[in-house]
Amino acid sequence: MNHPDNDSSQFEFAGESVSDTVLSGVVLVLLVAIILQYTLLPTSVVYALITLVYLLIVPLLVLYNDTIEVNSTYTKLYLVFAALVYLRLLFEPSLGNLARLGVLFTFTTANIFVIPSLLPLRQFLSVTARVSAPLVVVGLFPYLGLPVQFGFVDLSLWGARIYWYESLNPITSVFSNPNQLGGLALVGGLAALHECFENRTRTAGALLLVNSAGLLLTNWRTGWIIYTLSVGLYLVYFLKGRQYLTVAIGGSLICITAAILMAFDVLPGPSVLSDLSFGNRRPRWVANVRAFLDQPLWGYGFTGITDFEGGAGNPHNSYLRIFTGFGIIGGILYLLIVVGTAIGSARRAVSYRDATLAILLTGFCILQIFNQLSFIGISMRSTFIAIMIGYYITGAGQYKE
């Protein structure tokens, strides 16, 4: 049913061979730079380091692979969306909007078009699983009574109780928030699960166990939901193949959307849904929708609603944030890119690598319902979302090995 992926020790770029070690080093440096922004290091130092890493990655692409093959449809959607953001800035300039536009044109563009063209998906997943697992282990130090302060790193536990074991506090590892560790453990766990299906090694099993445990210990409920659904989607692909995976992904997204619409009485449904607070997000979502309806065509830009009351400026929902920021056209363009790449990647899945990309993109579609971090930005989760979208747009998830 499925063909094993090519697992050679070298990859070809423009007729030259680049070893796994070099590519793994590039991924490692990129991940470390992104993670450092959640430590106690000064923000200016971290941003300078991240910028330096990206400046070094672009010449590597030119050196080893001087062309970028892209899906023209999604490239056009991205360019139109970027143009809309630019026009919005021209009509209402501000320093905050200018900064975010700069990030969109530089870091986000690099994440979507440059990094996937240089770094094979298998390599990116492998290194991510191996970065995440040690950080989970380090996060356990407070449970063992070990020191929690190491220079610019603070391993202190989070001030809450784990839902399924109230005598423990959630772990944070080097991050300032357990959800950030949960985001890394989620991707690392799914990367390890991919490796288990593809290679069936003990190392992959150990990485899967550690990352899964780390996700559980972060108290990140959204991550638990995404991880559980992802495992189910893997089983669908393993047992039934690509067509059933596409149906399962499409059906999952439709069911989640319908349930949320029922919860807000847009669609008829069980009354129990109307009582859900969605982690106290309900009033924020309502406030954001009202702000959108007041200015549906043009929106408020990236920073135009930060002072709105009722939580409209921080809705914890990427889709609402984009619709409110850039109006109906910007919101639809964003939806087409994010949801379209998830469905499209499932439709062309012919290997575990392709199925993993589809499942990750689906998980990020769900994540953005409960988190306002979009694919625009240099945060860790924004970076992951943009890079995975890029693997689909460039075709690198399937063809670049």
Side-chain angles (χ1 to χ4, degrees):
M1 177 184 65
N2 301 314
H3 301 286
D5 299 329
N6 182 8
D7 194 29
S8 62
S9 60
Q10 292 187 321
F11 302 96
E12 290 291 324
F13 292 97
E16 298 184 42
S17 295
V18 185
S19 69
D20 274 8
T21 303
V22 172
L23 295 176
S24 296
V26 174
V27 179
L28 178 62
V29 170
L30 174 64
L31 291 177
V32 169
I34 295 298
I35 290 170
L36 282 176
Q37 66 186 298
Y38 301 102
T39 65
L40 301 178
L41 279 176
T43 302
S44 58
V45 173
V46 176
Y47 285 174
L49 178 61
I50 293 173
T51 302
L52 177 61
V53 170
Y54 276 83
L55 288 175
L56 293 176
I57 285 176
V58 173
L60 282 176
L61 173 69
V62 176
L63 179 62
Y64 293 115
N65 188 23
D66 56 1
T67 60
I68 299 177
E69 299 176 6
V70 296
N71 180 305
S72 60
T73 299
Y74 286 97
T75 302
K76 291 175 182 176
L77 288 174
Y78 177 76
L79 291 176
V80 173
F81 178 78
L84 179 65
V85 175
Y86 176 68
L87 289 174
R88 186 68 185 76
L89 173 67
L90 288 181
F91 282 92
E92 194 173 339
S94 72
L95 185 59
N97 285 335
L98 179 62
R100 286 169 174 80
L101 179 67
V103 170
L104 174 64
F105 283 166
T106 54
F107 295 102
T108 301
T109 299
N111 287 335
I112 291 177
F113 297 102
V114 176
I115 290 176
S117 298
L118 174 66
L119 305 173
L121 177 59
R122 183 178 66 83
Q123 201 77 8
F124 190 90
L125 294 174
S126 176
V127 175
T128 301
R130 286 159 175 78
V131 168
S132 177
L135 289 179
V136 168
V137 174
V138 168
L140 300 176
F141 281 11
Y143 290 162
L144 305 176
L146 298 174
V148 297
Q149 293 283 348
F150 300 91
F152 58 85
V153 172
D154 184 357
L155 307 178
S156 300
L157 299 173
W158 191 248
R161 295 293 177 179
I162 295 179
Y163 301 113
W164 53 271
Y165 198 77
E166 293 189 355
S167 63
L168 292 179
N169 299 98
I171 63 174
T172 63
S173 188
V174 302
F175 297 91
S176 56
N177 186 298
N179 290 355
Q180 294 152 357
L181 174 61
L184 180 61
L186 172 65
V187 178
L190 294 179
L193 184 60
H194 158 79
E195 197 168 324
C196 285
F197 274 104
E198 187 177 57
N199 299 328
R200 295 176 174 83
T201 63
R202 292 182 178 179
T203 299
L207 292 171
L208 176 61
L209 179 62
V210 172
N211 282 304
S212 300
L215 179 58
L216 278 174
L217 291 170
T218 61
N219 233 23
W220 189 36
R221 290 172 294 180
T222 301
W224 297 349
I225 294 171
I226 294 172
Y227 193 73
T228 301
L229 176 62
S230 298
V231 172
L233 292 174
Y234 266 113
L235 293 176
V236 168
Y237 179 75
F238 178 73
L239 297 173
K240 294 294 185 178
R242 173 176 56 84
Q243 292 183 339
Y244 282 85
L245 176 65
T246 304
V247 172
I249 286 177
S252 298
L253 295 177
I254 290 173
C255 288
I256 291 172
T257 302
I260 292 175
L261 293 176
M262 290 176 186
F264 287 88
D265 298 322
V266 178
L267 293 177
S271 59
V272 66
L273 293 176
S274 300
D275 298 328
L276 294 177
S277 68
F278 298 101
N280 297 318
R281 289 174 174 83
R282 178 182 286 270
R284 294 176 178 271
W285 292 356
V286 172
N288 208 253
V289 170
R290 288 173 178 167
F292 164 72
L293 293 176
D294 287 340
Q295 197 165 308
L297 295 179
W298 196 227
Y300 301 86
F302 280 117
T303 61
I305 63 170
T306 53
D307 296 328
F308 276 38
E309 296 181 357
N314 187 20
H316 293 289
N317 184 303
S318 297
Y319 307 112
L320 290 178
R321 185 67 187 88
I322 297 298
F323 270 96
T324 307
F326 302 101
I328 187 71
I329 296 176
I332 290 175
L333 287 170
Y334 189 84
L335 274 176
L336 288 174
I337 295 171
V338 173
V339 179
T341 52
I343 300 296
S345 60
R347 293 179 61 187
R348 76 177 191 187
V350 295
S351 67
Y352 288 124
R353 183 166 54 251
D354 305 328
T356 301
L357 177 59
I359 291 167
L360 281 167
L361 286 171
T362 302
F364 291 142
C365 283
I366 298 169
L367 170 63
Q368 292 181 80
I369 297 174
F370 304 99
N371 191 300
Q372 73 174 30
L373 292 173
S374 63
F375 62 64
I376 305 167
I378 58 175
S379 70
M380 183 179 62
R381 280 174 283 187
S382 293
T383 300
F384 278 135
I385 294 170
I387 289 175
M388 293 305 156
I389 288 175
Y391 276 117
Y392 176 78
I393 291 179
T394 63
Q398 187 173 24
Y399 307 115
K400 296 287 185 182
E401 290 289 350

